[in-house]
Amino acid sequence: FASVLVNLLPKGVGRAIVNRKCPKVYIPNTGFDPEMRGYTLVECVQLLIDMVQTDHNEQDLNEDIQNENNIPVKDILNFVLIDTQNCEYAVEVDQTAIEDLGVIVIDVPLVNMETMNDQQHSSSPLSSNECGRKNTRLDPLKVVEVLLSL
């Protein structure tokens, strides 16, 4: 999560995100993420929105543009992509609260079930899931399929 936040820090990134007319998607980490400890998923989403709004509004101030209103969320983040059926999330996932922020939650299968079954039956500690109950690795092809459908 911190790797996402740090990429929002450089001046102008928030404005660039707002100005892009494409779907904006956040895919949270599955499994344990020490950087998200103490946060819920909705708090992470709100922090992303706040950081983009702050940068965008600071840019307006630097350009002497009066903008007292926050940028609409739809210009910052459109979708949160999750798979609660097959994936383990170390933070609370409250889909309703995320949607109350104005962000659409897409909860679809993002795991290749054949790969998941192979991982669960493997004796290698590197291929087993980290939480012991559900998968923590997304299938890149499934993720790409969803992203391209947006």
Side-chain angles (χ1 to χ4, degrees):
F1 183 64
S3 60
V4 174
L5 296 179
V6 76
N7 282 291
L8 296 176
L9 289 175
K11 200 174 200 177
V13 170
R15 164 123 339 163
I17 290 170
V18 169
N19 289 339
R20 295 293 304 165
K21 302 302 177 206
C22 64
K24 292 138 186 166
V25 182
Y26 171 51
I27 305 172
N29 291 333
T30 57
F32 179 70
D33 183 349
E35 297 159 347
M36 293 176 74
R37 185 181 174 111
Y39 288 98
T40 64
L41 187 55
V42 72
E43 290 171 326
C44 293
V45 170
Q46 184 65 61
L47 185 56
L48 294 172
I49 292 167
D50 292 346
M51 289 186 70
V52 170
Q53 284 179 335
T54 298
D55 179 70
H56 187 277
N57 292 341
E58 285 176 0
Q59 291 294 306
D60 283 349
L61 290 174
N62 290 339
E63 297 173 11
D64 292 327
I65 297 171
Q66 295 298 321
N67 183 4
E68 296 179 14
N69 298 324
N70 282 333
I71 303 303
V73 171
K74 68 178 181 58
D75 292 339
I76 298 171
L77 182 62
N78 307 112
F79 305 101
V80 173
L81 185 57
I82 58 174
D83 179 354
T84 57
Q85 182 177 359
N86 301 307
C87 293
E88 190 72 30
Y89 294 91
V91 297
E92 177 189 342
V93 177
D94 183 343
Q95 295 181 38
T96 303
I98 294 168
E99 290 177 346
D100 287 346
L101 295 175
V103 178
I104 297 168
V105 176
I106 302 174
D107 189 353
V108 295
L110 298 172
V111 173
N112 181 325
M113 295 309 291
E114 291 176 16
T115 304
M116 183 173 153
N117 289 334
D118 290 345
Q119 289 176 357
Q120 289 176 340
H121 292 88
S122 171
S123 60
S124 168
L126 295 175
S127 63
S128 65
N129 71 49
E130 296 146 19
C131 294
R133 294 190 312 253
K134 291 184 178 180
N135 202 356
T136 58
R137 296 186 187 159
L138 302 179
D139 180 333
L141 294 177
K142 289 199 175 277
V143 172
V144 167
E145 286 174 7
V146 175
L147 293 176
L148 289 175
S149 74
L150 303 175

